[in-house]
Amino acid sequence: MNPAFSVCVYCGSRPGAKPEYAQVATAVGHWIGSHGGQLVYGGGKGGLMGIVAQATLQAGGRVVGVIPQALVEMEAANHDCTELHIVASMHERKHMMAERADVFLALPGGIGTFEELFEVWTWRQLGYHDKPIGVLNVANYYDPLLAFLKATVEQQFLGDWQMELIQTGSEVLPLLAELVQAAGLTPLARLDAI
Ligand code: AMP
């Protein structure tokens, strides 16, 4: 059966300092799997990436991992993925992840996560795609970034309309449901998995 929706999750290849980060990664994977969804992600086993993938699989969801050949060992490719694509380059990885997604969601992470988030946001402002983008602000992790972005609006380097192209929230359920609905898709209620 085709998945009801496909969420591309960008997140840390490390677990981060607070237990809330892993808890939320588990909750995101669980929500995706238990609503008939598919996770698209970077295909690694470590950190929040591995946690979100495992939780999706455990809840009965599909997981599409996309990892460049050069990172297969460095990032410990996750061979438990429903589909694991080993691609030639980072560009190919990002392209395939974006293609396979209906919505994008950033969890806490490092520069890899930031780069991916800013890229899909930039592409959206340019009209290359119109897929919803969310930022899950777990334990106030993204507060300083959001404050900085607000300052860039005040300094007139960014418009309000650009800020409106990303949806931010601190809770998994409303944010994911909002993103999936904004993509015109309907999460399934898989009662057996809830
Ligand atoms: P990080 O947030 O730095 O822990 O990285 C999270 C994921 O982003 C890892 O799988 C990295 O391989 C990946 N990543 C790092 N740099 C890039 C990049 N330039 N484009 C796409 N993904 C990247």
Coordinates of all heavy atoms in Angstrom, one line a residue, residues 25-106:
A25 N 12.2 12.9 18.9 CA 12.5 12.1 17.6 C 11.7 10.8 17.6 O 11.1 10.4 16.6 CB 14.0 11.8 17.6
T26 N 11.6 10.2 18.8 CA 10.7 9.0 18.9 C 9.3 9.3 18.6 O 8.6 8.6 17.9 CB 10.9 8.4 20.3 OG1 12.2 8.1 20.6 CG2 10.1 7.1 20.5
A27 N 8.8 10.4 19.2 CA 7.4 10.8 19.0 C 7.1 11.1 17.5 O 6.0 10.7 17.0 CB 7.0 12.0 19.9
V28 N 8.0 11.7 16.8 CA 7.8 12.0 15.4 C 7.7 10.7 14.6 O 6.8 10.5 13.8 CB 9.0 12.9 14.9 CG1 9.0 13.0 13.4 CG2 8.8 14.3 15.5
G29 N 8.7 9.8 14.8 CA 8.7 8.5 14.1 C 7.4 7.7 14.4 O 6.8 7.2 13.5
H30 N 7.0 7.8 15.7 CA 5.8 7.1 16.1 C 4.6 7.6 15.3 O 3.7 6.9 14.8 CB 5.6 7.1 17.6 CG 4.4 6.3 18.0 ND1 4.5 4.9 18.2 CD2 3.1 6.6 18.3 CE1 3.3 4.5 18.6 NE2 2.5 5.5 18.6
W31 N 4.5 9.0 15.3 CA 3.3 9.6 14.7 C 3.3 9.3 13.2 O 2.2 8.9 12.6 CB 3.4 11.1 14.8 CG 2.1 11.8 14.5 CD1 1.1 12.1 15.3 CD2 1.7 12.3 13.1 NE1 0.1 12.7 14.6 CE2 0.4 12.8 13.3 CE3 2.4 12.3 11.9 CZ2 -0.2 13.4 12.2 CZ3 1.7 12.8 10.8 CH2 0.4 13.3 10.9
I32 N 4.5 9.3 12.5 CA 4.5 9.0 11.1 C 4.1 7.6 10.8 O 3.2 7.3 10.0 CB 5.9 9.2 10.5 CG1 6.3 10.7 10.6 CG2 6.0 8.7 9.1 CD1 7.8 11.0 10.3
G33 N 4.6 6.6 11.6 CA 4.3 5.2 11.4 C 2.9 4.9 11.7 O 2.2 4.1 11.0
S34 N 2.4 5.5 12.8 CA 1.0 5.1 13.3 C -0.1 5.8 12.5 O -1.2 5.6 12.7 CB 0.9 5.4 14.8 OG 1.1 6.8 15.0
H35 N 0.3 6.7 11.5 CA -0.7 7.4 10.7 C -0.5 7.0 9.2 O -0.9 7.8 8.3 CB -0.6 8.9 10.9 CG -1.1 9.3 12.2 ND1 -0.4 9.3 13.4 CD2 -2.4 9.7 12.6 CE1 -1.1 9.7 14.4 NE2 -2.3 9.9 14.0
G36 N 0.1 5.9 9.0 CA 0.2 5.4 7.6 C 1.2 6.1 6.8 O 1.2 6.1 5.6
G37 N 2.2 6.8 7.5 CA 3.1 7.6 6.7 C 4.5 7.0 6.4 O 4.7 5.8 6.8
Q38 N 5.3 7.7 5.7 CA 6.6 7.3 5.3 C 7.6 8.4 5.8 O 7.4 9.6 5.6 CB 6.7 7.2 3.8 CG 8.0 6.9 3.2 CD 7.9 6.6 1.7 OE1 7.7 5.4 1.4 NE2 8.0 7.6 0.9
L39 N 8.7 7.9 6.3 CA 9.8 8.8 6.7 C 10.9 8.8 5.5 O 11.2 7.7 5.1 CB 10.5 8.3 8.0 CG 11.8 9.0 8.3 CD1 11.6 10.4 8.9 CD2 12.6 8.2 9.4
V40 N 11.3 10.0 5.2 CA 12.4 10.1 4.3 C 13.5 10.8 5.1 O 13.3 11.9 5.7 CB 12.1 10.9 3.0 CG1 13.3 11.1 2.1 CG2 11.0 10.3 2.2
Y41 N 14.7 10.2 5.1 CA 15.8 10.9 5.9 C 17.1 10.5 5.3 O 17.2 9.8 4.3 CB 15.6 10.6 7.4 CG 16.2 9.3 7.8 CD1 17.2 9.3 8.8 CD2 15.9 8.0 7.3 CE1 17.8 8.1 9.2 CE2 16.5 6.9 7.7 CZ 17.5 6.9 8.7 OH 18.1 5.8 9.0
G42 N 18.2 10.9 6.0 CA 19.5 10.8 5.5 C 20.1 9.4 5.7 O 21.3 9.2 5.3
G43 N 19.4 8.4 6.2 CA 19.8 7.0 6.1 C 20.9 6.6 7.1 O 21.4 5.5 7.0
G44 N 21.1 7.4 8.1 CA 22.1 7.0 9.1 C 21.5 6.4 10.4 O 20.3 6.5 10.6
K45 N 22.4 5.7 11.1 CA 21.9 5.0 12.3 C 22.1 5.8 13.6 O 21.5 5.5 14.6 CB 22.7 3.7 12.5 CG 21.9 2.5 12.0 CD 22.5 1.2 12.5 CE 21.4 0.2 12.7 NZ 21.7 -1.1 12.4
G46 N 22.9 6.8 13.5 CA 23.3 7.6 14.7 C 22.4 8.7 15.1 O 21.6 9.2 14.3
G47 N 22.5 9.1 16.3 CA 21.8 10.3 16.8 C 20.3 10.3 16.6 O 19.7 9.3 16.6
L48 N 19.8 11.5 16.5 CA 18.3 11.6 16.3 C 17.9 11.0 15.0 O 16.8 10.5 14.9 CB 17.9 13.1 16.3 CG 18.2 13.9 17.6 CD1 17.6 15.3 17.5 CD2 17.8 13.2 18.9
M49 N 18.8 10.9 14.0 CA 18.4 10.3 12.7 C 18.0 8.9 12.9 O 17.0 8.4 12.5 CB 19.6 10.4 11.7 CG 19.9 11.9 11.3 SD 21.4 12.0 10.3 CE 20.9 11.2 8.8
G50 N 18.9 8.1 13.6 CA 18.6 6.7 13.9 C 17.4 6.5 14.7 O 16.6 5.6 14.5
I51 N 17.2 7.4 15.7 CA 16.0 7.3 16.6 C 14.7 7.5 15.8 O 13.8 6.7 16.0 CB 16.2 8.3 17.8 CG1 17.4 7.9 18.6 CG2 14.9 8.3 18.6 CD1 17.8 8.9 19.7
V52 N 14.6 8.5 15.0 CA 13.4 8.7 14.3 C 13.1 7.6 13.3 O 11.9 7.1 13.2 CB 13.4 10.1 13.6 CG1 14.2 10.2 12.4 CG2 12.0 10.6 13.3
A53 N 14.1 7.0 12.7 CA 13.9 5.9 11.8 C 13.4 4.7 12.5 O 12.5 4.0 12.1 CB 15.2 5.6 11.0
Q54 N 14.1 4.4 13.6 CA 13.7 3.2 14.4 C 12.2 3.3 14.9 O 11.4 2.3 14.8 CB 14.6 3.0 15.5 CG 14.5 1.6 16.2 CD 15.3 1.5 17.5 OE1 15.9 2.4 17.9 NE2 15.1 0.4 18.2
A55 N 11.9 4.5 15.3 CA 10.5 4.7 15.9 C 9.5 4.5 14.8 O 8.4 4.0 15.0 CB 10.4 6.0 16.6
T56 N 9.8 5.0 13.6 CA 8.9 4.9 12.4 C 8.7 3.5 12.1 O 7.5 3.0 11.9 CB 9.4 5.7 11.2 OG1 9.7 7.0 11.5 CG2 8.4 5.7 10.0
L57 N 9.8 2.7 12.0 CA 9.7 1.3 11.6 C 8.9 0.5 12.7 O 8.0 -0.3 12.4 CB 11.1 0.7 11.5 CG 11.9 1.1 10.3 CD1 13.3 0.6 10.4 CD2 11.3 0.5 9.0
Q58 N 9.1 0.8 14.0 CA 8.5 0.1 15.0 C 6.9 0.4 15.0 O 6.2 -0.5 15.4 CB 9.0 0.6 16.4 CG 10.2 -0.3 16.8 CD 10.9 0.2 18.1 OE1 10.5 1.2 18.7 NE2 11.9 -0.5 18.5
A59 N 6.6 1.6 14.5 CA 5.1 1.9 14.5 C 4.5 1.4 13.2 O 3.4 1.8 12.9 CB 4.9 3.4 14.7
G60 N 5.3 0.7 12.3 CA 4.7 0.1 11.1 C 4.8 1.0 9.9 O 4.2 0.7 8.9
G61 N 5.6 2.1 10.0 CA 5.8 3.0 8.8 C 6.9 2.5 7.9 O 7.8 1.7 8.3
R62 N 6.9 3.1 6.7 CA 8.0 2.9 5.8 C 9.1 3.9 6.0 O 8.9 5.1 6.4 CB 7.6 3.1 4.3 CG 6.5 2.2 3.9 CD 6.2 2.4 2.3 NE 7.1 1.5 1.6 CZ 8.1 1.8 0.9 NH1 8.5 3.1 0.8 NH2 8.8 0.9 0.2
V63 N 10.4 3.5 5.8 CA 11.5 4.4 6.0 C 12.4 4.4 4.7 O 12.8 3.3 4.3 CB 12.3 4.0 7.2 CG1 13.6 4.9 7.3 CG2 11.5 4.2 8.5
V64 N 12.5 5.5 4.1 CA 13.4 5.7 3.0 C 14.7 6.4 3.4 O 14.6 7.6 3.8 CB 12.7 6.5 1.9 CG1 13.6 6.7 0.7 CG2 11.4 5.8 1.4
G65 N 15.8 5.8 3.4 CA 17.1 6.4 3.7 C 17.9 6.7 2.5 O 17.9 5.8 1.6
V66 N 18.5 7.8 2.5 CA 19.3 8.2 1.3 C 20.7 8.7 1.8 O 20.8 9.7 2.5 CB 18.6 9.3 0.5 CG1 19.4 9.6 -0.8 CG2 17.1 9.0 0.2
I67 N 21.7 7.9 1.4 CA 23.0 8.2 2.0 C 24.1 8.2 0.9 O 24.1 7.3 0.1 CB 23.3 7.3 3.2 CG1 24.5 7.7 4.0 CG2 23.5 5.8 2.7 CD1 24.6 7.0 5.4
P68 N 25.0 9.2 0.9 CA 26.0 9.2 -0.1 C 27.0 8.0 0.2 O 27.3 7.7 1.4 CB 26.7 10.5 0.1 CG 25.8 11.4 0.9 CD 25.0 10.4 1.7
Q69 N 27.6 7.5 -0.8 CA 28.5 6.3 -0.7 C 29.6 6.7 0.3 O 29.9 5.9 1.2 CB 29.1 6.0 -2.1 CG 30.2 5.0 -2.1 CD 29.6 3.6 -1.8 OE1 28.7 3.1 -2.5 NE2 30.2 2.9 -0.7
A70 N 30.1 7.9 0.3 CA 31.2 8.3 1.1 C 30.9 8.3 2.6 O 31.8 8.3 3.4 CB 31.7 9.7 0.7
L71 N 29.6 8.3 2.9 CA 29.2 8.4 4.3 C 28.6 7.1 4.9 O 28.3 7.0 6.0 CB 28.1 9.5 4.5 CG 28.5 11.0 4.2 CD1 27.4 11.9 4.5 CD2 29.7 11.3 5.0
V72 N 28.6 6.1 4.0 CA 28.0 4.8 4.4 C 28.7 4.3 5.7 O 28.0 3.8 6.6 CB 28.1 3.7 3.3 CG1 27.9 2.3 3.8 CG2 27.1 4.1 2.2
E73 N 30.0 4.4 5.8 CA 30.6 3.9 7.0 C 30.7 5.0 8.1 O 30.3 4.8 9.3 CB 32.0 3.5 6.7 CG 32.0 2.1 6.1 CD 33.3 1.4 6.0 OE1 34.3 1.8 6.7 OE2 33.3 0.5 5.1
M74 N 31.0 6.2 7.7 CA 31.1 7.3 8.6 C 29.8 7.6 9.4 O 29.8 7.9 10.6 CB 31.5 8.6 7.9 CG 32.2 9.6 8.8 SD 32.2 11.2 8.0 CE 33.0 10.9 6.4
E75 N 28.7 7.5 8.7 CA 27.4 7.8 9.4 C 26.7 6.5 9.7 O 25.5 6.6 10.1 CB 26.5 8.7 8.5 CG 27.0 10.1 8.5 CD 26.0 11.1 8.0 OE1 25.0 10.7 7.5 OE2 26.3 12.3 8.2
A76 N 27.3 5.3 9.5 CA 26.7 4.0 9.8 C 25.3 3.9 9.1 O 24.3 4.1 9.7 CB 26.5 3.8 11.3
A77 N 25.4 3.6 7.9 CA 24.1 3.4 7.1 C 23.2 2.5 7.8 O 23.6 1.4 8.3 CB 24.4 3.0 5.7
N78 N 21.9 2.8 7.7 CA 20.9 2.0 8.4 C 20.3 1.0 7.5 O 19.4 1.3 6.7 CB 19.8 3.0 9.0 CG 18.8 2.3 9.8 OD1 18.8 1.0 9.9 ND2 17.9 3.0 10.4
H79 N 20.8 -0.3 7.6 CA 20.3 -1.3 6.6 C 18.9 -1.8 7.0 O 18.4 -2.7 6.3 CB 21.3 -2.4 6.5 CG 22.6 -1.9 5.9 ND1 22.7 -1.8 4.5 CD2 23.8 -1.5 6.4 CE1 23.9 -1.3 4.2 NE2 24.6 -1.1 5.4
D80 N 18.3 -1.3 8.1 CA 17.0 -1.7 8.5 C 15.9 -0.9 7.7 O 14.7 -1.2 7.7 CB 16.7 -1.5 10.0 CG 17.5 -2.4 10.8 OD1 17.9 -3.4 10.3 OD2 17.8 -2.0 12.0
C81 N 16.4 0.1 6.9 CA 15.4 1.0 6.2 C 14.6 0.1 5.2 O 15.1 -0.9 4.7 CB 16.2 2.0 5.3 SG 17.0 3.3 6.2
T82 N 13.4 0.5 5.0 CA 12.5 -0.2 4.0 C 13.2 -0.1 2.6 O 13.2 -1.0 1.8 CB 11.1 0.4 4.0 OG1 10.7 0.7 5.3 CG2 10.1 -0.5 3.3
E83 N 13.7 1.1 2.3 CA 14.5 1.4 1.1 C 15.7 2.1 1.5 O 15.6 3.2 2.2 CB 13.7 2.3 0.1 CG 12.5 1.8 -0.5 CD 11.8 2.9 -1.4 OE1 12.5 3.8 -2.0 OE2 10.6 3.0 -1.3
L84 N 16.9 1.6 1.2 CA 18.1 2.3 1.5 C 18.8 2.6 0.1 O 19.1 1.7 -0.6 CB 19.1 1.5 2.4 CG 20.4 2.2 2.7 CD1 20.2 3.5 3.6 CD2 21.4 1.3 3.4
H85 N 18.9 3.9 -0.2 CA 19.5 4.3 -1.4 C 20.9 4.9 -1.1 O 21.1 5.8 -0.4 CB 18.7 5.4 -2.1 CG 17.3 5.0 -2.4 ND1 17.0 4.4 -3.6 CD2 16.1 5.0 -1.7 CE1 15.7 4.0 -3.7 NE2 15.1 4.5 -2.5
I86 N 21.9 4.2 -1.7 CA 23.3 4.6 -1.6 C 23.6 5.4 -2.9 O 23.6 4.8 -4.0 CB 24.2 3.5 -1.3 CG1 23.8 2.8 0.0 CG2 25.7 3.9 -1.3 CD1 24.5 1.5 0.3
V87 N 23.8 6.7 -2.7 CA 23.9 7.6 -3.9 C 25.3 8.1 -4.0 O 26.1 8.0 -3.1 CB 22.9 8.7 -3.9 CG1 21.5 8.2 -3.9 CG2 23.1 9.6 -2.6
A88 N 25.6 8.7 -5.1 CA 27.0 9.1 -5.4 C 27.4 10.4 -4.7 O 28.6 10.5 -4.4 CB 27.2 9.3 -6.9
S89 N 26.5 11.3 -4.4 CA 27.0 12.6 -3.9 C 25.9 13.1 -2.9 O 24.8 12.7 -2.9 CB 27.2 13.6 -5.0 OG 25.9 13.9 -5.6
M90 N 26.3 14.2 -2.2 CA 25.5 14.9 -1.3 C 24.3 15.6 -2.1 O 23.2 15.6 -1.6 CB 26.3 15.9 -0.5 CG 25.6 16.5 0.7 SD 25.2 15.2 1.9 CE 26.5 15.4 3.1
H91 N 24.7 16.1 -3.2 CA 23.7 16.7 -4.1 C 22.6 15.7 -4.4 O 21.4 16.1 -4.4 CB 24.3 17.3 -5.4 CG 25.1 18.5 -5.1 ND1 24.6 19.6 -4.5 CD2 26.4 18.7 -5.3 CE1 25.6 20.5 -4.4 NE2 26.7 20.0 -4.8
E92 N 23.0 14.5 -4.8 CA 22.0 13.5 -5.2 C 21.1 13.1 -4.0 O 19.9 12.9 -4.1 CB 22.8 12.3 -5.7 CG 22.0 11.5 -6.8 CD 22.8 10.3 -7.3 OE1 24.0 10.5 -7.6 OE2 22.3 9.3 -7.3
R93 N 21.8 13.1 -2.8 CA 21.0 12.7 -1.6 C 19.9 13.8 -1.4 O 18.8 13.4 -1.2 CB 22.0 12.7 -0.4 CG 21.3 12.6 0.9 CD 22.1 13.1 2.1 NE 22.3 12.0 3.1 CZ 23.0 12.2 4.2 NH1 23.6 13.4 4.4 NH2 23.2 11.2 5.0
K94 N 20.3 15.0 -1.4 CA 19.4 16.1 -1.1 C 18.3 16.2 -2.1 O 17.1 16.4 -1.8 CB 20.1 17.4 -1.0 CG 21.0 17.5 0.2 CD 21.4 18.9 0.6 CE 22.4 19.4 -0.4 NZ 22.8 20.8 0.0
H95 N 18.6 15.9 -3.4 CA 17.6 16.0 -4.4 C 16.6 14.8 -4.3 O 15.4 15.1 -4.3 CB 18.3 15.8 -5.8 CG 17.4 15.9 -7.0 ND1 16.8 17.1 -7.4 CD2 16.9 14.9 -7.8 CE1 16.0 16.8 -8.4 NE2 16.1 15.5 -8.6
M96 N 17.1 13.6 -4.0 CA 16.2 12.5 -3.8 C 15.3 12.7 -2.6 O 14.1 12.4 -2.6 CB 17.0 11.2 -3.7 CG 16.0 10.0 -3.7 SD 16.9 8.4 -3.6 CE 17.4 8.1 -5.2
M97 N 15.9 13.2 -1.5 CA 15.1 13.4 -0.3 C 14.0 14.4 -0.6 O 12.8 14.2 -0.2 CB 16.0 13.9 0.9 CG 16.9 12.8 1.4 SD 18.2 13.4 2.5 CE 17.2 13.9 4.0
A98 N 14.3 15.5 -1.3 CA 13.3 16.5 -1.5 C 12.2 16.0 -2.5 O 11.0 16.2 -2.3 CB 14.0 17.7 -2.1
E99 N 12.6 15.2 -3.5 CA 11.7 14.6 -4.4 C 10.7 13.7 -3.8 O 9.5 13.7 -4.1 CB 12.4 13.8 -5.5 CG 13.1 14.6 -6.6 CD 12.1 15.0 -7.6 OE1 11.4 14.1 -8.1 OE2 12.2 16.2 -8.0
R100 N 11.2 12.9 -2.8 CA 10.4 11.8 -2.2 C 9.5 12.4 -1.1 O 8.7 11.7 -0.5 CB 11.2 10.7 -1.6 CG 12.1 10.0 -2.7 CD 11.2 9.1 -3.6 NE 10.4 8.1 -2.9 CZ 10.8 6.8 -2.7 NH1 11.9 6.4 -3.1 NH2 10.0 5.9 -2.1
A101 N 9.6 13.7 -0.7 CA 8.9 14.2 0.4 C 7.6 15.0 0.0 O 7.6 15.6 -1.1 CB 9.8 15.2 1.1
D102 N 6.6 14.9 0.9 CA 5.4 15.8 0.7 C 5.6 17.0 1.6 O 5.1 18.1 1.3 CB 4.2 15.1 1.1 CG 3.9 13.9 0.2 OD1 4.0 14.0 -1.0 OD2 3.6 12.8 0.8
V103 N 6.3 16.8 2.7 CA 6.5 17.9 3.7 C 7.9 17.8 4.3 O 8.4 16.7 4.2 CB 5.5 18.0 4.8 CG1 4.0 18.0 4.3 CG2 5.6 16.8 5.8
F104 N 8.4 18.8 4.8 CA 9.8 18.8 5.4 C 9.6 19.2 6.9 O 8.8 20.1 7.2 CB 10.7 19.8 4.7 CG 10.9 19.6 3.3 CD1 10.1 20.3 2.3 CD2 11.7 18.6 2.8 CE1 10.3 20.1 1.0 CE2 11.9 18.4 1.4 CZ 11.2 19.1 0.5
L105 N 10.4 18.5 7.7 CA 10.4 18.9 9.1 C 11.8 18.9 9.7 O 12.5 17.9 9.5 CB 9.5 17.8 9.9 CG 9.5 18.1 11.4 CD1 8.7 19.4 11.7 CD2 8.8 16.9 12.1
A106 N 12.2 20.0 10.3 CA 13.5 20.0 11.0 C 13.3 19.8 12.5 O 12.5 20.5 13.1 CB 14.2 21.4 10.7

